[in-house]
Amino acid sequence: MAEVTPSGSWNRIEINLENLQANYRNLSNLAGPDARVMPVVKSDAYGHGLVEVAAALADIGASVFGVAETEEGVRLRKAGIEGEIIVLLGAMAENFSEIIRYALAPVVYDLAMIKELSARAEKEGKKVPVHLKIDTGMGRLGIMPDEVDEYLELFSELAGVELAGVLSHFPMADSSDQSATDTQTAVFSQLVKKIHERFAGSVSHIANSAAAIRNPGSRLNMIRPGIALYGCCPSAGSDFCSGITLQPVMSFKTRVIQVKEVPAGYGVSYGHQFTTTRPTRLAVLPVGYDDGYLRRLSGRAEVLIGGKRVPVVGRICMNACMADITDLDRVQAGDEVVLMGRQGLEEISADEIAGWLETISYEVLCTFGGSNHRFYV
Ligand SMILES: *Cc1c(COP(=O)(O)O)cnc(C)c1O
């Protein structure tokens, strides 16, 4: 299991690829035989490692991947990932040569850009698959529904691009009330029907994790799960994910570097925001906001030591923080500390940390994963 940390940091992110694969299989089963699964591996696979995650999923049959930018698609190709790679933010002229060379499929939403891409591809004797993005209520990327006809005309005329898919995105699929999501699905499905009359081979996809889990009618030909693959429920709603088993993929661990006793009335860390009320034993941990253990966790976070929860006390520093271990026996320098993940019977989830940080699990995973060395177990 846990490898010995080689030279380098005491802080380690552990990525459990078996749990990742199990989540993928559960999502595939949920999607059923008619809907493919596009693992969303943008942003370094939500901090889990772009290439490692894509490779582990390709090993068990994933054949279409979603990235944010062209550069991520290029990295996947250079690492030997085959299948379709969809660039969700699309591409600009400066990306076209890589799009063509690495056989990436950009999302498109601009007439001039599509024409230019087609001309470039035609010159090289290629046809680039593109996915047309329609804004059905997200208020983000995409053309408006009343522009669809104009784009369909264009796709019939151009020789260098092929309409491989049409997509949209939900802003409220994580809500317990699915009515906005249902309405958007209906609008999208109407458009898809019209598009299929002219481009029968194109796939349609709109469901993120939340919709894929909670809204069967939104699954269409393909689902695009991100957060659920990484083992988090997209909604904090208590039974939102009761229909599927998801296991956390990322853990964050550090070690105790010093155990010390201080008297009652002793100020701890910058600003003395915390003062002991009893003779106190402190564990000094070599982790701080530079490692993604953000300063806002000061006075809020708990960590696991010896299978027990203990509070982080005082301000979190750049590379250090302190846990109050007065109530624990036998803690020594070198002992493992779990900041996120399981130890013994206790577990601290990304959602719990997100609660302390007043954010969402997505941001916790990206921040922790992006700030530390990763180990694959
Ligand atoms: C990030 C993203 C997803 C995945 O969303 P989750 O909530 O993580 O499942 C799906 N589609 C698009 C367009 C995205 O940008």
Side-chain angles (χ1 to χ4, degrees):
M1 250 278 297
E3 321 155 43
V4 176
T5 309
S7 65
S9 177
W10 286 302
N11 302 318
R12 49 187 286 142
I13 290 290
E14 288 180 8
I15 303 295
N16 185 322
L17 293 174
E18 276 177 24
N19 285 0
L20 174 80
Q21 291 175 326
N23 295 337
Y24 175 84
R25 288 198 179 97
N26 290 340
L27 285 158
S28 299
N29 290 338
L30 189 79
D34 298 330
R36 296 172 74 192
V37 181
M38 179 205 299
V40 176
V41 294
K42 67 191 182 194
S43 301
D44 214 7
Y46 294 38
H48 294 67
L50 171 70
V51 167
E52 292 86 349
V53 163
L57 296 176
D59 277 350
I60 57 166
S63 60
V64 48
F65 298 92
V67 296
E69 292 201 42
T70 302
E71 170 271 331
E72 299 169 301
V74 172
R75 271 197 281 153
L76 287 180
R77 287 288 189 237
K78 286 184 172 165
I81 299 294
E82 294 172 358
E84 292 166 62
I85 298 178
I86 297 178
V87 182
L88 294 167
L89 287 179
M92 297 210 278
E94 70 214 55
N95 310 118
F96 290 168
S97 63
E98 286 184 324
I99 291 281
I100 296 167
R101 174 156 169 220
Y102 293 100
L104 308 176
V107 163
V108 292
Y109 39 79
D110 184 281
L111 288 172
M113 215 71 95
I114 297 168
K115 285 184 199 159
E116 197 178 337
L117 175 60
S118 178
R120 284 282 291 277
E122 219 183 328
K123 224 185 270 170
E124 301 187 27
K126 299 266 172 63
K127 205 169 178 108
V128 175
V130 299
H131 290 242
L132 179 64
K133 182 125 192 203
I134 308 173
D135 181 352
T136 57
M138 175 72 187
R140 201 171 75 178
L141 203 58
I143 65 168
M144 297 304 284
D146 63 6
E147 297 178 283
V148 166
D149 288 335
E150 197 183 349
Y151 280 77
L152 296 187
E153 280 309 315
L154 186 68
F155 288 120
S156 328
E157 291 161 10
L158 296 177
V161 294
E162 164 197 11
L163 185 63
V166 46
L167 72 154
S168 192
H169 196 49
F170 291 126
M172 277 171 354
D174 57 339
S175 160
S176 58
D177 177 1
Q178 291 285 305
S179 58
T181 299
D182 288 337
T183 305
Q184 248 183 290
T185 304
V187 169
F188 185 61
S189 298
Q190 271 312 112
L191 294 167
V192 162
K193 215 170 120 196
K194 183 158 83 177
I195 293 166
H196 274 180
E197 282 165 14
R198 293 174 67 168
F199 301 91
S202 60
V203 297
S204 46
H205 45 107
I206 187 169
N208 55 4
S209 297
I213 290 168
R214 202 51 190 260
N215 197 309
S218 73
R219 290 173 195 152
L220 308 182
N221 305 138
M222 185 153 72
I223 62 171
R224 301 193 305 262
I227 195 72
L229 272 177
Y230 307 108
C232 294
C233 185
S235 170
S238 56
D239 67 345
F240 196 92
C241 290
S242 55
I244 186 168
T245 302
L246 300 172
Q247 293 171 275
V249 176
M250 181 188 292
S251 322
F252 187 13
K253 297 177 178 175
T254 187
R255 316 249 302 275
V256 174
I257 57 168
Q258 188 193 6
V259 173
K260 64 191 293 181
E261 314 266 350
V262 297
Y266 198 77
V268 175
S269 193
Y270 291 121
H272 281 187
Q273 295 255 304
F274 174 81
T275 302
T276 58
T277 55
R278 56 178 178 170
T280 296
R281 198 148 12 98
L282 296 173
V284 182
L285 314 180
V287 63
Y289 53 80
D290 178 45
D291 312 295
Y293 208 62
L294 300 178
R295 200 161 170 276
R296 178 170 283 227
L297 290 166
S298 304
R300 301 179 174 192
E302 296 177 335
V303 300
L304 306 179
I305 304 179
K308 298 255 163 52
R309 274 175 183 263
V310 289
V312 171
V313 292
R315 284 245 177 89
I316 292 171
C317 312
M318 192 180 290
N319 308 107
C321 64
M322 272 59 73
D324 182 343
I325 54 165
T326 313
D327 297 331
L328 302 187
D329 320 314
R330 291 192 295 274
V331 176
Q332 325 174 16
D335 284 3
E336 179 193 81
V337 180
V338 170
L339 307 165
M340 180 173 75
R342 189 174 271 288
Q343 193 185 53
L345 299 174
E346 278 285 357
E347 181 167 16
I348 293 174
S349 68
D351 279 313
E352 187 172 10
I353 295 169
W356 297 330
L357 284 171
E358 298 169 53
T359 181
I360 52 177
S361 59
Y362 300 63
E363 196 178 23
V364 172
L365 299 178
C366 289
T367 305
F368 287 177
S371 311
N372 295 281
H373 198 79
R374 286 185 292 253
F375 297 83
Y376 292 85
V377 300

